[in-house]
Amino acid sequence: MWSIIDSTLREGEQFINANFSLPQKKEIALMLDNFGVDYIELSNPASSEQSRIDCTAIANLGLGCKTLTHTRCNLEDVRLAIDTGVDGVDLLFGTSKYLRDYAHGKSIDYIIAKAKEVISMAKNAGCEVRFSCEDSFRSDAEDLVRVYRAVDRVGVDRIGIADTVGIAHPQQVSELVSSLRTVVDCDIEVHFHNDTGCAVANAHSAVQAGATHVDTCVLGIGERNGITPLGGFISRMYADDPEAVKMKYNLPMIPHMDHYVANAVDVQVPFNNYLSGYSAFSHKAGMHLKAMLQNSSTYEALNPDDFGVSRVVNVAHRLTGWNAVKSRAEQLGLSLPDQTIREATKSIKAAADVRHITLDEVDLILRDFDTRQMNKRTDEGRLHG
Ligand code: AKG
């Protein structure tokens, strides 16, 4: 099964509002570990003194998952990383023309030589090592093959394919991952930015094509509009095989982490966020509700119970149906005949046609019908008595 490398404490730290304190980082690391991620990626300890302190603290928390740190491909960064106590280093070097011309000015031959030197040093020090070609999807295909083949031969544990600007689509991902699968023997990690909305689909496509490790962030936070969100990726993989995903991961942690991280970076969880969004499990149309009441899978690919969240069935609107209203009456303990429910439904729709109504108002209408029903029965009783 694929593994998750959660990068909330690295890529996520690059989100515009992120400025995690060490206690927040520890809390996030503990939650991710409790959820069951395989790896946590941490910011480069060479970034600042506090980054080094934080990386050392998280690497020594005694987590069940492995810790990695993201470093430039040079000996100094890797030495500093090893001293923090992390299990592995995630090296990267830009291979696209953009990055070679405007970021570092190095040739592919230089990149290969440097990568071999740094990987060998890190492996000799007992580190797990990944090497990534930054901006893979705008890199020359032959350059990628040369670089990845060379690093595979010196014993890298994983190659990384990075869609740095979020330009790739699932078919390109599938083609690149499957072709690289025939080039290297090591594992394949993927990292997808979400600029064009494909980050979850690309991660899924990559796994189907043979990728073994997927980078995620809680809520998808990261540079610009971020990367594959943990909740979105898990939802996608759960839809394929719920039992396998439930067995490996502690799913109710996801909404919990989404809210914690949203609060830490001072944003709202988006209303349509996978699993934890306000409307993620809300149902409204009368036709849907009728079927949902018999079998919730009719209109749900994901079972909210598995994620520790509740389904919201909304009856207070003009699109409501009498099955939904009947169900609400039953929740209130009212036993109304179907004909009365149909009349109450008409009243609810008529009220909702002229203004926004609340569930309390629906309940009032139902109780009013119930009272009328009881009065009618009393009158009939008097007549016949
Ligand atoms: C990116 O290329 O967008 C990164 O954040 C680096 C990804 C990697 O190290 O694979």
Side-chain angles (χ1 to χ4, degrees):
M1 186 159 161
W2 37 272
S3 300
I4 293 179
I5 299 182
D6 188 86
S7 190
T8 308
L9 297 180
R10 194 284 291 177
E11 174 74 51
E13 246 206 316
Q14 296 171 219
F15 174 59
I16 188 164
N17 280 7
N19 190 23
F20 300 125
S21 64
L22 179 54
Q24 284 175 324
K25 286 187 181 182
K26 283 186 178 166
E27 186 62 35
I28 292 169
L30 289 168
M31 287 192 290
L32 287 166
D33 194 39
N34 182 356
F35 168 71
V37 296
D38 305 270
Y39 296 84
I40 290 178
E41 187 183 55
L42 304 162
S43 292
N44 187 351
S47 306
S48 73
E49 178 54 9
Q50 189 60 46
S51 300
R52 193 191 62 74
I53 292 169
D54 294 354
C55 188
T56 310
I58 308 286
N60 292 286
L61 265 184
L63 301 173
C65 63
K66 289 189 180 173
T67 52
L68 305 167
T69 181
H70 199 243
T71 69
R72 294 169 295 189
C73 189
N74 66 50
L75 297 175
E76 301 71 39
D77 276 19
V78 172
R79 280 195 200 102
L80 196 62
I82 292 170
D83 286 346
T84 64
V86 288
D87 298 292
V89 286
D90 284 345
L91 308 172
L92 82 163
F93 223 131
T95 46
S96 69
K97 190 157 167 27
Y98 283 102
L99 296 178
R100 286 191 287 126
D101 287 353
Y102 303 113
H104 56 70
K106 303 286 192 260
S107 67
I108 294 293
D109 284 341
Y110 177 92
I111 294 170
I112 291 176
K114 195 72 190 167
K116 283 165 126 178
E117 179 192 18
V118 177
I119 293 167
S120 303
M121 183 278 247
K123 286 298 295 177
N124 286 336
C127 244
E128 185 170 322
V129 187
R130 184 223 61 187
F131 181 89
S132 212
C133 287
E134 195 185 2
D135 206 8
S136 313
F137 288 89
R138 296 191 302 175
S139 298
D140 181 87
E142 284 178 21
D143 289 344
L144 288 182
V145 169
R146 279 189 66 209
V147 176
Y148 287 136
R149 187 170 277 146
V151 297
D152 189 39
R153 286 197 181 138
V154 287
V156 83
D157 295 285
R158 284 188 304 286
I159 57 160
I161 302 173
D163 183 18
T164 305
V165 297
I167 191 85
H169 61 65
Q171 197 181 338
Q172 291 168 320
V173 169
S174 179
E175 284 165 10
L176 183 61
V177 174
S178 30
S179 83
L180 291 175
R181 194 56 293 172
T182 65
V183 170
V184 296
D185 291 327
C186 63
D187 285 340
I188 299 181
E189 175 180 336
V190 285
H191 180 94
F192 295 109
H193 276 268
N194 203 24
D195 303 71
T196 60
C198 290
V200 171
N202 283 344
H204 181 248
S205 182
V207 169
Q208 286 188 318
T212 51
H213 293 66
V214 174
D215 291 5
T216 63
C217 282
V218 175
L219 274 183
I221 59 170
E223 284 284 356
R224 306 183 305 283
N225 79 334
I227 68 160
T228 308
L230 179 63
F233 177 64
I234 285 291
S235 303
R236 180 55 261 169
M237 302 318 285
Y238 168 103
D240 282 357
D241 188 348
E243 291 313 314
V245 174
K246 271 197 284 186
M247 191 128 43
K248 183 163 178 202
Y249 296 105
N250 180 5
L251 301 181
M253 284 304 293
I254 297 179
H256 190 59
M257 290 190 284
D258 281 350
H259 288 282
Y260 181 89
V261 170
N263 189 41
V265 298
D266 202 18
V267 297
Q268 302 284 323
V269 172
F271 75 91
N272 61 347
N273 198 48
Y274 318 88
L275 310 173
S276 56
Y278 165 70
S279 69
F281 291 103
S282 70
H283 298 275
K284 189 167 172 187
M287 208 174 76
H288 286 211
L289 297 185
K290 178 180 178 206
M292 286 287 300
L293 291 166
Q294 294 180 70
N295 181 346
S296 56
S297 297
T298 313
Y299 283 102
E300 273 173 357
L302 314 172
N303 182 351
D305 295 343
D306 286 341
F307 299 92
V309 286
S310 305
R311 173 180 302 123
V312 176
V313 174
N314 186 355
V315 294
H317 53 86
R318 66 167 72 120
L319 306 179
T320 200
W322 80 273
N323 283 283
V325 173
K326 182 175 177 171
S327 160
R328 180 64 193 163
E330 284 165 4
Q331 280 172 8
L332 296 174
L334 308 177
S335 169
L336 296 169
D338 286 355
Q339 187 48 38
T340 310
I341 294 282
R342 286 181 194 279
E343 285 166 28
T345 306
K346 270 192 200 157
S347 300
I348 293 165
K349 282 172 178 282
D353 257 349
V354 288
R355 65 192 158 79
H356 174 78
I357 61 166
T358 63
L359 186 60
D360 281 348
E361 289 173 75
V362 167
D363 293 352
L364 267 177
I365 292 172
L366 284 169
R367 289 189 197 287
D368 189 40
F369 271 88
D370 186 54
T371 309
R372 279 193 251 160
Q373 181 76 22
M374 278 195 310
N375 291 346
K376 203 168 139 200
R377 269 199 224 110
T378 314
D379 290 348
E380 280 170 5
R382 278 207 200 100
L383 258 175
H384 294 107

